[in-house]
Coordinates of all heavy atoms in Angstrom, one line a residue:
M166 N 38.1 8.2 -62.0 CA 36.8 8.7 -61.4 C 35.6 8.2 -62.2 O 35.6 8.1 -63.4 CB 36.9 10.3 -61.6 CG 35.7 11.0 -61.0 SD 35.7 10.9 -59.2 CE 36.8 12.3 -58.8
K167 N 34.7 7.7 -61.4 CA 33.5 7.2 -62.0 C 32.3 8.1 -61.9 O 32.3 9.0 -61.0 CB 33.1 5.8 -61.3 CG 34.2 4.8 -61.5 CD 33.8 3.5 -60.8 CE 35.0 2.5 -60.8 NZ 35.4 2.2 -62.2
S168 N 31.3 8.0 -62.7 CA 30.2 8.9 -62.8 C 28.9 8.2 -63.0 O 28.9 7.1 -63.6 CB 30.5 9.9 -64.0 OG 29.4 10.7 -64.2
F169 N 27.8 8.8 -62.5 CA 26.5 8.2 -62.7 C 25.5 9.4 -62.9 O 25.5 10.4 -62.1 CB 26.1 7.4 -61.4 CG 24.6 7.0 -61.4 CD1 24.2 6.0 -62.2 CD2 23.8 7.7 -60.6 CE1 22.8 5.6 -62.2 CE2 22.4 7.3 -60.5 CZ 21.9 6.3 -61.3
E170 N 24.7 9.3 -63.9 CA 23.6 10.3 -64.1 C 22.3 9.6 -63.8 O 21.9 8.6 -64.4 CB 23.6 10.8 -65.6 CG 24.7 11.7 -65.9 CD 26.0 10.9 -66.3 OE1 25.9 9.9 -66.9 OE2 27.1 11.4 -65.9
C171 N 21.5 10.2 -62.9 CA 20.2 9.6 -62.5 C 19.3 9.6 -63.7 O 18.4 8.7 -63.8 CB 19.6 10.4 -61.4 SG 18.1 9.6 -60.7
G172 N 19.4 10.5 -64.6 CA 18.5 10.6 -65.8 C 18.6 9.3 -66.7 O 17.7 9.1 -67.4
T173 N 19.6 8.5 -66.5 CA 19.7 7.3 -67.3 C 18.8 6.2 -66.7 O 18.5 5.2 -67.3 CB 21.1 6.7 -67.3 OG1 21.6 6.4 -66.0 CG2 22.1 7.7 -68.0
L174 N 18.4 6.5 -65.4 CA 17.5 5.5 -64.7 C 16.1 6.1 -64.5 O 15.1 5.4 -64.7 CB 18.1 5.2 -63.3 CG 17.6 4.1 -62.5 CD1 17.7 2.8 -63.2 CD2 18.3 4.0 -61.1
V175 N 16.1 7.4 -64.2 CA 14.8 8.1 -64.0 C 14.7 9.2 -65.1 O 15.4 10.3 -64.9 CB 14.7 8.7 -62.6 CG1 13.3 9.4 -62.5 CG2 14.9 7.6 -61.6
P176 N 14.0 9.0 -66.2 CA 14.0 10.0 -67.3 C 13.6 11.4 -66.8 O 12.7 11.5 -66.0 CB 12.9 9.4 -68.2 CG 13.0 8.0 -68.0 CD 13.3 7.8 -66.5
G177 N 14.4 12.4 -67.2 CA 14.1 13.7 -66.8 C 14.9 14.2 -65.6 O 15.0 15.4 -65.4
C178 N 15.4 13.3 -64.8 CA 16.1 13.8 -63.6 C 17.5 14.2 -64.0 O 18.2 13.5 -64.8 CB 16.2 12.7 -62.6 SG 17.0 13.2 -61.0
T179 N 18.0 15.4 -63.5 CA 19.3 15.9 -63.9 C 20.4 15.7 -62.9 O 21.5 16.1 -63.0 CB 19.2 17.4 -64.2 OG1 18.7 18.0 -63.0 CG2 18.3 17.7 -65.4
W180 N 20.0 15.0 -61.8 CA 21.0 14.7 -60.7 C 22.1 13.8 -61.2 O 21.8 12.8 -61.9 CB 20.3 14.1 -59.5 CG 21.1 13.8 -58.3 CD1 21.4 14.7 -57.3 CD2 21.8 12.6 -58.0 NE1 22.2 14.1 -56.4 CE2 22.5 12.8 -56.8 CE3 22.0 11.4 -58.6 CZ2 23.3 11.9 -56.1 CZ3 22.8 10.4 -58.0 CH2 23.4 10.7 -56.8
H181 N 23.3 14.0 -60.8 CA 24.4 13.2 -61.1 C 25.4 13.2 -60.0 O 25.4 14.1 -59.2 CB 25.0 13.6 -62.5 CG 25.5 15.0 -62.5 ND1 26.7 15.4 -62.1 CD2 24.9 16.1 -62.8 CE1 26.9 16.7 -62.2 NE2 25.7 17.2 -62.6
T182 N 26.3 12.2 -60.0 CA 27.4 12.2 -59.0 C 28.6 11.6 -59.5 O 28.6 10.9 -60.5 CB 26.9 11.4 -57.7 OG1 27.8 11.6 -56.7 CG2 26.8 9.9 -58.0
Q183 N 29.7 11.9 -58.9 CA 31.0 11.3 -59.3 C 31.7 10.8 -58.0 O 31.6 11.4 -56.9 CB 31.9 12.3 -59.9 CG 31.4 12.8 -61.3 CD 32.2 13.9 -61.9 OE1 33.3 14.3 -61.3 NE2 31.7 14.5 -62.9
A184 N 32.4 9.7 -58.1 CA 33.2 9.2 -57.0 C 34.3 8.3 -57.5 O 34.3 7.9 -58.7 CB 32.3 8.4 -56.0
E185 N 35.2 7.9 -56.6 CA 36.4 7.1 -57.0 C 36.0 5.7 -57.2 O 36.6 5.0 -58.0 CB 37.5 7.2 -56.0 CG 38.2 8.6 -55.9 CD 38.9 8.9 -57.2 OE1 39.3 7.9 -58.0 OE2 39.1 10.1 -57.5
D186 N 35.0 5.2 -56.5 CA 34.6 3.8 -56.7 C 33.1 3.6 -56.8 O 32.3 4.4 -56.3 CB 35.2 2.9 -55.6 CG 34.6 3.3 -54.2 OD1 34.9 4.4 -53.7 OD2 33.9 2.5 -53.6
T187 N 32.7 2.5 -57.4 CA 31.3 2.1 -57.6 C 30.5 2.1 -56.4 O 29.4 2.5 -56.3 CB 31.3 0.8 -58.4 OG1 32.0 0.9 -59.6 CG2 29.8 0.5 -58.8
A188 N 31.1 1.5 -55.3 CA 30.3 1.4 -54.0 C 29.8 2.7 -53.5 O 28.7 2.9 -53.0 CB 31.2 0.7 -53.0
E189 N 30.7 3.8 -53.6 CA 30.3 5.1 -53.2 C 29.2 5.7 -54.1 O 28.3 6.3 -53.6 CB 31.6 6.0 -53.2 CG 31.3 7.4 -52.8 CD 30.8 7.6 -51.4 OE1 30.9 6.6 -50.6 OE2 30.4 8.7 -51.0
I190 N 29.3 5.4 -55.4 CA 28.3 5.9 -56.3 C 27.0 5.3 -55.9 O 26.0 6.0 -55.9 CB 28.7 5.5 -57.8 CG1 30.0 6.2 -58.2 CG2 27.5 5.8 -58.7 CD1 29.8 7.4 -59.0
V191 N 27.0 4.0 -55.7 CA 25.7 3.3 -55.4 C 25.2 3.8 -54.1 O 23.9 4.0 -54.0 CB 26.0 1.7 -55.2 CG1 24.8 1.0 -54.6 CG2 26.3 1.2 -56.6
R192 N 26.0 4.1 -53.1 CA 25.6 4.6 -51.8 C 24.9 6.0 -52.0 O 23.8 6.2 -51.5 CB 26.8 4.8 -50.8 CG 26.4 5.0 -49.4 CD 27.5 5.4 -48.5 NE 28.1 6.7 -48.9 CZ 27.5 7.9 -48.6 NH1 26.4 7.9 -47.9 NH2 28.0 9.0 -48.9
R193 N 25.5 6.9 -52.8 CA 25.0 8.2 -53.0 C 23.7 8.1 -53.8 O 22.7 8.8 -53.6 CB 26.0 9.1 -53.7 CG 27.2 9.4 -52.9 CD 28.1 10.4 -53.6 NE 29.4 10.5 -53.0 CZ 30.4 11.2 -53.5 NH1 30.2 11.9 -54.6 NH2 31.5 11.3 -52.9
A194 N 23.7 7.2 -54.8 CA 22.5 7.1 -55.7 C 21.3 6.6 -55.0 O 20.2 7.0 -55.1 CB 22.9 6.2 -56.9
A195 N 21.6 5.6 -54.1 CA 20.5 5.0 -53.3 C 19.9 6.1 -52.4 O 18.7 6.2 -52.2 CB 21.0 3.9 -52.5
E196 N 20.8 6.9 -51.8 CA 20.3 8.0 -51.0 C 19.5 9.0 -51.8 O 18.4 9.5 -51.3 CB 21.6 8.7 -50.4 CG 21.2 9.7 -49.3 CD 22.5 10.3 -48.7 OE1 23.1 9.7 -47.8 OE2 23.0 11.3 -49.2
H197 N 19.9 9.3 -53.0 CA 19.2 10.2 -53.8 C 17.9 9.7 -54.2 O 16.8 10.4 -54.2 CB 20.1 10.5 -55.1 CG 19.2 11.2 -56.2 ND1 18.9 12.5 -56.2 CD2 18.7 10.7 -57.3 CE1 18.1 12.8 -57.2 NE2 18.0 11.7 -58.0
L198 N 17.8 8.4 -54.6 CA 16.6 7.7 -55.0 C 15.6 7.8 -53.9 O 14.4 8.0 -54.1 CB 16.8 6.3 -55.4 CG 17.5 6.2 -56.8 CD1 18.1 4.8 -57.0 CD2 16.5 6.5 -57.9
R199 N 16.0 7.6 -52.6 CA 15.2 7.7 -51.5 C 14.6 9.1 -51.3 O 13.4 9.4 -51.2 CB 15.9 7.3 -50.2 CG 15.7 5.8 -49.8 CD 16.1 5.6 -48.4 NE 17.5 6.0 -48.1 CZ 18.5 5.2 -48.2 NH1 18.4 4.0 -48.7 NH2 19.7 5.7 -47.9
N200 N 15.6 10.1 -51.3 CA 15.2 11.5 -51.0 C 14.4 12.1 -52.2 O 13.4 12.8 -51.9 CB 16.5 12.3 -50.8 CG 17.2 11.9 -49.5 OD1 16.6 11.3 -48.7 ND2 18.5 12.2 -49.5
A201 N 14.8 11.9 -53.4 CA 14.2 12.6 -54.5 C 13.1 11.8 -55.2 O 12.2 12.4 -55.8 CB 15.3 13.0 -55.5
H202 N 13.1 10.5 -55.2 CA 12.1 9.7 -55.9 C 11.3 8.8 -55.0 O 10.5 8.0 -55.6 CB 12.9 8.9 -57.0 CG 13.7 9.7 -57.9 ND1 13.1 10.7 -58.7 CD2 15.0 9.8 -58.2 CE1 14.1 11.3 -59.4 NE2 15.2 10.8 -59.1
G203 N 11.4 9.0 -53.7 CA 10.5 8.2 -52.8 C 10.7 6.7 -52.8 O 9.8 6.0 -52.5
E204 N 11.9 6.3 -53.2 CA 12.2 4.9 -53.2 C 12.6 4.5 -51.7 O 13.7 4.6 -51.3 CB 13.4 4.5 -54.1 CG 13.0 4.6 -55.6 CD 12.3 3.4 -56.1 OE1 12.2 2.4 -55.4 OE2 11.8 3.4 -57.2
E205 N 11.6 4.0 -51.0 CA 11.8 3.7 -49.6 C 12.8 2.5 -49.4 O 13.6 2.5 -48.6 CB 10.5 3.4 -48.9 CG 9.6 4.6 -48.7 CD 10.2 5.6 -47.8 OE1 10.9 5.3 -46.9 OE2 9.9 6.8 -48.0
L206 N 12.6 1.5 -50.3 CA 13.4 0.3 -50.3 C 14.2 0.2 -51.5 O 13.7 0.2 -52.6 CB 12.5 -0.9 -50.2 CG 12.3 -1.6 -48.8 CD1 11.3 -2.6 -48.9 CD2 13.6 -2.2 -48.4
I207 N 15.5 0.2 -51.3 CA 16.4 0.0 -52.5 C 16.6 -1.5 -52.7 O 17.2 -2.2 -51.9 CB 17.8 0.7 -52.3 CG1 17.6 2.2 -52.0 CG2 18.7 0.5 -53.5 CD1 16.9 3.0 -53.1
R208 N 15.9 -2.0 -53.7 CA 15.9 -3.4 -54.0 C 17.3 -3.8 -54.6 O 17.9 -3.0 -55.2 CB 14.8 -3.8 -54.9 CG 13.4 -3.5 -54.3 CD 12.3 -3.8 -55.3 NE 12.4 -3.0 -56.5 CZ 12.0 -1.7 -56.6 NH1 11.4 -1.2 -55.5 NH2 12.1 -1.0 -57.7
P209 N 17.7 -5.1 -54.4 CA 18.9 -5.6 -55.0 C 19.0 -5.3 -56.5 O 20.1 -4.9 -57.0 CB 18.9 -7.1 -54.7 CG 18.1 -7.2 -53.5 CD 17.0 -6.2 -53.6
N210 N 17.9 -5.4 -57.2 CA 18.0 -5.2 -58.7 C 18.2 -3.7 -59.0 O 18.7 -3.3 -60.0 CB 16.7 -5.7 -59.4 CG 15.5 -4.9 -59.1 OD1 15.2 -4.5 -58.0 ND2 14.8 -4.5 -60.2
M211 N 17.8 -2.8 -58.0 CA 18.0 -1.4 -58.2 C 19.5 -1.1 -58.1 O 20.1 -0.3 -58.9 CB 17.3 -0.6 -57.1 CG 17.4 0.9 -57.2 SD 16.7 1.5 -58.7 CE 14.9 1.6 -58.3
V212 N 20.2 -1.8 -57.2 CA 21.7 -1.7 -57.1 C 22.3 -2.1 -58.4 O 23.2 -1.4 -58.9 CB 22.2 -2.5 -55.9 CG1 23.7 -2.5 -55.9 CG2 21.7 -2.0 -54.6
D213 N 21.8 -3.2 -59.0 CA 22.4 -3.6 -60.3 C 22.1 -2.6 -61.4 O 22.9 -2.4 -62.2 CB 21.7 -5.0 -60.6 CG 22.2 -6.1 -59.8 OD1 23.3 -6.0 -59.2 OD2 21.6 -7.2 -59.7
E214 N 20.9 -2.0 -61.3 CA 20.5 -1.0 -62.3 C 21.5 0.2 -62.2 O 21.9 0.7 -63.2 CB 19.1 -0.5 -62.1 CG 18.1 -1.6 -62.2 CD 17.4 -1.6 -63.6 OE1 18.0 -1.0 -64.5 OE2 16.3 -2.1 -63.7
I215 N 21.8 0.6 -61.0 CA 22.8 1.7 -60.8 C 24.1 1.3 -61.3 O 24.8 2.0 -62.1 CB 22.8 2.1 -59.3 CG1 21.4 2.6 -58.8 CG2 23.9 3.1 -59.1 CD1 21.3 2.7 -57.3
K216 N 24.6 0.1 -60.9 CA 26.0 -0.3 -61.2 C 26.1 -0.4 -62.8 O 27.2 -0.1 -63.3 CB 26.3 -1.7 -60.6 CG 26.6 -1.7 -59.2 CD 26.9 -3.1 -58.7 CE 27.3 -3.1 -57.2 NZ 27.4 -4.5 -56.7
A217 N 25.1 -0.9 -63.4 CA 25.1 -1.0 -64.9 C 25.2 0.3 -65.6 O 25.7 0.4 -66.7 CB 23.8 -1.7 -65.4
R218 N 24.9 1.4 -64.9 CA 24.9 2.7 -65.5 C 26.1 3.6 -65.0 O 26.3 4.7 -65.5 CB 23.6 3.5 -65.2 CG 22.4 2.9 -66.0 CD 21.1 3.3 -65.4 NE 20.0 2.9 -66.3 CZ 19.5 1.7 -66.3 NH1 20.0 0.8 -65.4 NH2 18.5 1.3 -67.0
V219 N 26.9 3.0 -64.1 CA 28.1 3.7 -63.7 C 29.1 3.6 -64.8 O 29.3 2.6 -65.4 CB 28.7 3.1 -62.4 CG1 30.0 3.7 -62.1 CG2 27.7 3.4 -61.2
H220 N 29.8 4.7 -65.1 CA 30.8 4.7 -66.2 C 32.0 5.6 -65.8 O 31.8 6.5 -65.0 CB 30.2 5.1 -67.5 CG 29.6 6.5 -67.5 ND1 30.4 7.6 -67.8 CD2 28.4 7.0 -67.2 CE1 29.6 8.7 -67.7 NE2 28.4 8.4 -67.3
E221 N 33.1 5.3 -66.4 CA 34.3 6.1 -66.2 C 34.0 7.5 -66.8 O 33.5 7.6 -67.9 CB 35.5 5.5 -66.9 CG 36.0 4.2 -66.3 CD 36.5 4.5 -64.9 OE1 37.0 5.6 -64.6 OE2 36.5 3.5 -64.1
K222 N 34.3 8.5 -66.0 CA 34.2 9.9 -66.5 C 35.1 10.1 -67.7 O 36.3 9.7 -67.7 CB 34.6 10.9 -65.4 CG 34.2 12.3 -65.8 CD 34.4 13.2 -64.5 CE 34.6 14.7 -64.9 NZ 33.8 15.2 -65.9
G223 N 34.6 10.7 -68.8 CA 35.4 10.9 -70.0 C 35.0 9.9 -71.1 O 35.2 10.2 -72.3
E224 N 34.3 8.8 -70.6 CA 33.8 7.8 -71.6 C 32.6 8.5 -72.3 O 31.8 9.1 -71.7 CB 33.3 6.6 -70.7 CG 33.3 5.3 -71.4 CD 32.9 4.2 -70.5 OE1 33.8 3.8 -69.6 OE2 31.8 3.7 -70.6
A225 N 32.6 8.2 -73.6 CA 31.5 8.8 -74.4 C 30.2 7.9 -74.2 O 30.2 6.8 -74.6 CB 31.9 8.8 -75.9
V226 N 29.3 8.5 -73.5 CA 28.0 7.8 -73.2 C 26.8 8.5 -73.9 O 25.9 7.8 -74.4 CB 27.8 7.7 -71.7 CG1 26.4 7.1 -71.4 CG2 28.9 6.8 -71.1
H227 N 26.9 9.8 -73.9 CA 25.7 10.5 -74.4 C 25.6 10.6 -75.9 O 26.7 10.6 -76.5 CB 25.8 12.0 -73.9 CG 25.7 12.0 -72.4 ND1 24.5 11.7 -71.7 CD2 26.6 12.3 -71.4 CE1 24.7 11.8 -70.4 NE2 26.0 12.1 -70.2
Ligands
LIG415 ZN1 17.1 11.3 -59.7

């Protein structure tokens, strides 16, 4: 299971998600960025930013 915390990208945001694969995480995160942070266009580098922050649940990140 993989995990992503939006707060690692947008300081102060507590939204997070978990999914079996990175593509699903990116899809959900992009949707969240649009809805919650007004990112109308998810640029390719934004996808990279999200992927770089996806980690295996249980991994010590904090
Ligand atoms: Zn957020």
Side-chain angles (χ1 to χ4, degrees):
M166 185 69 85
K167 297 178 190 300
S168 175
F169 169 77
E170 286 86 36
C171 186
T173 63
L174 192 59
V175 182
C178 184
T179 57
W180 184 87
H181 57 88
T182 190
Q183 290 173 13
E185 289 297 336
D186 64 292
T187 303
E189 178 63 12
I190 297 265
V191 169
R192 194 190 67 74
R193 292 185 195 179
E196 190 176 274
H197 166 75
L198 285 165
R199 267 198 302 274
N200 294 339
H202 302 300
E204 290 279 351
E205 292 294 329
L206 256 173
I207 304 300
R208 298 176 297 279
N210 75 310
M211 182 65 80
V212 172
D213 289 338
E214 297 264 19
I215 295 166
K216 283 180 178 172
R218 289 165 173 79
V219 172
H220 59 90
E221 289 293 337
K222 189 169 157 43
E224 207 174 285
V226 173
H227 297 291

